[in-house]
Structure formats: C-alpha cells, structure tokens
C-alpha cells in the first residue's frame, strides 16, 4: 500500500456515499469563509481523517502491529500560497479556524531555519507548527539548505473531537504536514514519508506517541481496516472483514470524559511509554548475557525506545534463529511466560531497583528514560505493563487469524456465524479487561459503557485510543444496534449533563473511511 497521497477530484473520491451531502455543505462553507478572510480562493484543501482502533491498544510504541481504521471525521486545511518575501529571512504563516472563538487566528513570521514550538503552552496552532517543522526538514533534505518555504494562508476545519480518543491530533498534524508539502510544490507525496514525518512531528507537541494514528490517517482505504506493522519498517495493508450473519457493525460511543494527554501525560500516557521502555530494558538486562544485549539507543522509526520484540530477538537462545522473523504467537506466549517468571513484583519497581538490574545509577536511569518527557511515579508497574503488551500483541495476531483464515468461519453454516462473531468480540472484551486491570488506562465511565453494551447485545466492547476517558468501540450485530443505543441512552447519557450537540454526536456507526488526500480547488 505504498505510493503517493491521492489527489481527489470530487468529494465522492473521499467520503462514503452516506456522508457526501453533509460534507459538500461543510466544504462549501470552508471555501467561502476562506474567501471572506483572505480575499481570494484557496488553491487546495489537504485532508486527513481521525481513526478508531479496532484492536492493538498501547502497543504501537513498543512496535507491535495494530489494526485501526479511518473514520469520516477529519481535519481539513484550505490553503493558498504566495512568494512575496516578508522580512528578510522569514516567511509568513496566517492561520485561522472555522471555530474562531475556540481557536483564535494567528500570524507568524517564521525564520527560514527554525520553527519554534513551545510545548509548555497548550496552543492549537502547535499541531500545525509541528507538521510544518517536520515537512520543512524533509523539503530541505530534498532541495538543499537554500530551500525557501512559501508563505501560506490557511483555514482549518476539524470534526474529530479533541481529547476524544479518535486521534484529532494525528489528523491535524498529518493534514498540516501534507499541506506544507503541497504548498511548496510537491505533488507526488509519498505516504510512508508523510506518515513517518507526522509521527516524529507529533512528539514536538509533548506526547511521546507511537505511530498507529498517523499511519491510519494517511494509509487507510475506504471499506477496509488497516493492519499496520512497524518493524522492520513501517508497512500498512488493507484488511477486509469476511461476510457474517448477522452482519457486524462498529459503534463508537463517547464517554464525554475528556482525557488530555498534554495535561495528564506525566501520570498517564507518557508514563506508560516510560514503563514499557523500562520493562524492555529490565527484561533485556535480566535475561540476556551482556554480549547479547541491545544497545540502549536502538531506535527504529525514530521511536525513542527499542521494541519489546527486539529485546526478545536478543534473548541468547533465540538470537540467531529468529532475528529476522516477525512476531509469531508462539514467541509471544513464551514472552508472557518469561515475563511472569522474571518480573514478579505486583506492587511495582522503584527507580533504585531498576537501576541496580540495569547496572546504572539512578541519575543515569533518569537521564536515559525520563528526561525528555517528564513523568511522575514512585513505582513502575513493569510486570503488569509488559504482560498487557505481549498479550495484546498476541490478541491482534489472533484477531487477524480469525479475519484472514477462511477455515475460521467456514465451519459454521453460512446462515449464521454468530459463534465466529462472538470469537472476534471475545478478543475485544479481553483487550478491555487487560486495559482496565493490567494497563490501568480505562476509567469507570468507559467500563460502564462496555458493560451496558454487552448486556444489550454487543459481541465485544472496549476503550479505543489512549483511554482514561475518550471513546469506546463496540462490535455489534446490525440487528442489535438500536437496542445498544437505547440502553446507553437510558443507562448512561441521560444521567450526564450534555448539550444537544453532544447528545447527537455521542454514538456513531462507523464505516471504514479513506485516508489522507489532496483536493485541488478549481
Ligand atoms: P490517542 O490518544 O487516541 O490519539 C494514542 C497514541 C497512539 C497509541 C494509542 C494507544 C498519539 C498521537 N497517539 O492515541 O499512538 O499509542 O494512544 O493505543 O499519541
Ligand atoms: Mg491524539
């Protein structure tokens, strides 16, 4: 699925047919508003969608494969450009948002050499700037240091709810990087290049993220989910669901608990990333003889830690035989067993205990693991986090086996595949249990949405995205969709204070949408 970001000629190229009418209104409004702000039409619109993750939670930054799909909601950037020089060695970015009160307009004069981002303030344009910075680095690599970026006039419209677990940030950063590339004359923009630069760019905003969201945003194809793997290099391929009876749908339900990684990173998201790298380092040191250990700075894909599996590959007895193969269920099962035996402390590990095993001082440990993205913790729950990661990686492989091995669903009569459906759903339920108990990234509200949905007929229900609030995803037979909605309404949404608008957006039936695109305005 490599190749260039498609150039769309009509909204039918971008959206599923049920969405075209409402999107046409939205796009017309965007172009009209652009015209009224800047006095001329935009040249093009760059578009990147949000995503829902079907399975594979909190394992992308340990470089295990995940299975997300793009949704209809997206980030749109309408753009025009000019070359008139501003002040000597700077170029000018004018950026506005259709939601002007919430996201006020800004103008920046940016030095050719460096895009400054202050990650300590929470400012919506930081996401644009991070895409800008990444794209300029790439353009400079291609065109040399004398490359001069064009001035840009931008109007943004985003429909992915912020802090909702549907990856508004990755949609915005990917659309921004794409816009900057296109504004500076690039037309055949390589999807892999764009994704990799969006992944690295987003870290500039202060979140030590993995690569799932940007991959889903850029690579997705309408009508299919996306299997994304990160080692030995970034790869994405479309995955189809087999026909089932009853037919399966994905419902996405908001909890309306806002989880803001920017604010809670040190105790939630960034802490988990650190716990995973500490667990990998601990296992590496405890299980591998010194000569087989990984270098501490191994950093595939620019991800700031080495994947668990590289640690596994280094395990003495396997190093030569499996070093180049991809994770298989048997290896993951073995890793689970090894972890259970090696990381035995349920209460977690102190910095002193980990440093001793790694053979470093506590100061060295802090410098290596917790200096770039600060975290707050006395103890690190290495056992639980590692067990979640390996078991979740295994669930993704099992889910893929179910989807792609025809034998898995052929045993049942074509009239009724409910047993097969229930096996898919069971894996999602297991993910939720592991997220709640071992990874501790769920919350009472998400747990409640899952319990209510299962009672009303969902095969499988779980949080999606980072968790601690945000969204949940549910595998529901088409004939139970109304019952599940009704149950949520009486047992959950009616008990919260919600605006009319929130109420309407609370639950969506998700159809897999297409990924990033450029649309040239006539
Ligand atoms: P959200 O918070 O849903 O955008 C985050 C990470 C992903 C992945 C998931 C958990 C970012 C941009 N995304 O998603 O890479 O780690 O959590 O599976 O931080
Ligand atoms: Mg995000």
């Amino acid at each position: 699925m490599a190749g260039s970001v498609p150039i769309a000629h009509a909204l039918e190229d971008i959206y599923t047919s049920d969405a075209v009418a409402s999107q046409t209104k939205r796009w017309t409004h965007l172009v009209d508003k652009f015209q009224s702000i800047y006095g001329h039409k935009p040249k093009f619109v760059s578009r990147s969608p949000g995503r829902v993750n079907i399975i594979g939670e909190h394992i992308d930054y340990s470089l295990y494969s995940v299975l997300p799909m793009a949704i209809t909601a997206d980030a749109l950037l309408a753009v025009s450009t000019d070359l008139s020089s501003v002040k000597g060695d700077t170029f000018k970015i004018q950026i506005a948002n259709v939601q002007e009160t919430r996201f006020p307009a800004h103008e920046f004069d940016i030095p050719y050499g460096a895009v400054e981002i202050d990650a300590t303030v929470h400012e919506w344009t930081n996401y644009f700037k991070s895409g800008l910075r990444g794209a300029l680095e790439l353009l400079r690599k291609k065109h040399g240091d004398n490359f001069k970026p064009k001035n840009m006039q931008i109007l943004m419209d985003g429909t992915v709810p912020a802090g909702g677990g549907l990856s508004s940030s990755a949609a915005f950063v990917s659309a921004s990087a794409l816009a900057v590339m296109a504004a500076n004359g690039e037309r055949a923009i390589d999807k892999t290049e764009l994704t990799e630069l969006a992944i690295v760019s987003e870290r500039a905003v202060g979140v030590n993220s993995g690569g799932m969201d940007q991959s889903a945003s850029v690579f997705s194809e309408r009508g299919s989910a996306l299997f994304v793997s990160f080692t030995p290099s970034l790869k994405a391929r479309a995955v189809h669901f087999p026909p089932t009876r009853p037919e399966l749908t994905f419902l996405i339900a908001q909890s309306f608990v806002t989880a803001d990684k920017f604010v809670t990173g040190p105790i939630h998201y960034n802490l988990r990333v650190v716990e995973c790298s500490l667990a990998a380092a601990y296992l590496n040191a405890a299980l591998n003889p010194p000569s087989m250990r990984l270098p501490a700075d191994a950093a595939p894909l620019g991800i700031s830690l080495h994947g668990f599996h590289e640690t596994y590959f280094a395990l003495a007895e396997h190093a030569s035989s499996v070093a180049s193969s991809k994770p298989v269920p048997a290896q993951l099962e073995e890793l689970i067993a090894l972890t259970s035996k090696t990381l035995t402390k349920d209460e977690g590990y102190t910095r002193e205990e980990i440093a001793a095993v790694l053979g470093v001082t506590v100061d060295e440990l802090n410098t290596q693991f917790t200096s770039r993205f600060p975290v707050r913790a006395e103890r690190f729950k290495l056992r639980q986090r590692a067990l979640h990661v390996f078991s979740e990686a295994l669930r993704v492989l099992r889910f893929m086996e179910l989807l792609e091995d025809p034998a898995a669903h052929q045993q049942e009569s074509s009239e009724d595949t409910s047993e097969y459906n229930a096996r898919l759903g069971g894996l999602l339920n297991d993910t939720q249990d592991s997220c709640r108990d071992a990874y501790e990234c769920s919350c009472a509200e998400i747990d409640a949405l899952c319990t209510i949905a299962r009672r009303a007929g969902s095969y499988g229900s779980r949080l999606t995205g980072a968790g601690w609030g945000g969204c949940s995803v549910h595998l529901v037979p088409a004939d139970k969709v109304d019952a599940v909605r009704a149950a949520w309404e009486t047992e959950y949404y009616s008990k919260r204070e919600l605006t009319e608008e929130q109420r309407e957006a609370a639950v969506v039936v998700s159809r897999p949408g297409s990924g990033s695109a450029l649309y040239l305005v006539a």
Side-chain angles (χ1 to χ4, degrees), residues 401-418:
E401 281 168 8
L402 284 177
L403 292 185
E404 298 204 314
D405 174 9
H409 39 99
Q410 265 166 16
Q411 283 151 4
E412 286 176 75
S413 81
S414 57
E415 294 303 306
D416 177 56
T417 62
S418 42

Side-chain angles (χ1 to χ4, degrees), residues 21 33 37 55 96 100 145 179 223 239 304 315 326 354 394 427 430 499 521:
K33 185 147 182 149
I37 295 174
I55 193 162
E100 51 216 323
D145 283 343
V239 176
S304 57
L315 292 182
K326 46 185 201 327
I354 301 168
L394 186 56
L427 288 166
D430 292 347
T499 62
V521 179

Side-chain angles (χ1 to χ4, degrees), residues 312-336:
Y312 175 77
F313 288 154
L315 292 182
E317 61 204 282
H318 293 280
S320 52
S321 59
V322 297
S324 60
S325 69
K326 46 185 201 327
V328 296
Q331 295 171 345
L332 288 163
E333 272 161 7
E334 199 178 329
L335 267 174
I336 291 170

Side-chain angles (χ1 to χ4, degrees), residues 483-496:
V484 171
R485 274 181 191 270
W488 280 329
E489 185 52 39
T490 37
E491 295 175 53
Y492 187 83
Y493 294 118
S494 65
K495 299 191 173 142
R496 300 182 72 85

Side-chain angles (χ1 to χ4, degrees), residues 275-286:
E275 286 174 320
C276 285
S277 21
L278 287 173
Y282 190 112
L283 290 173
N284 182 36

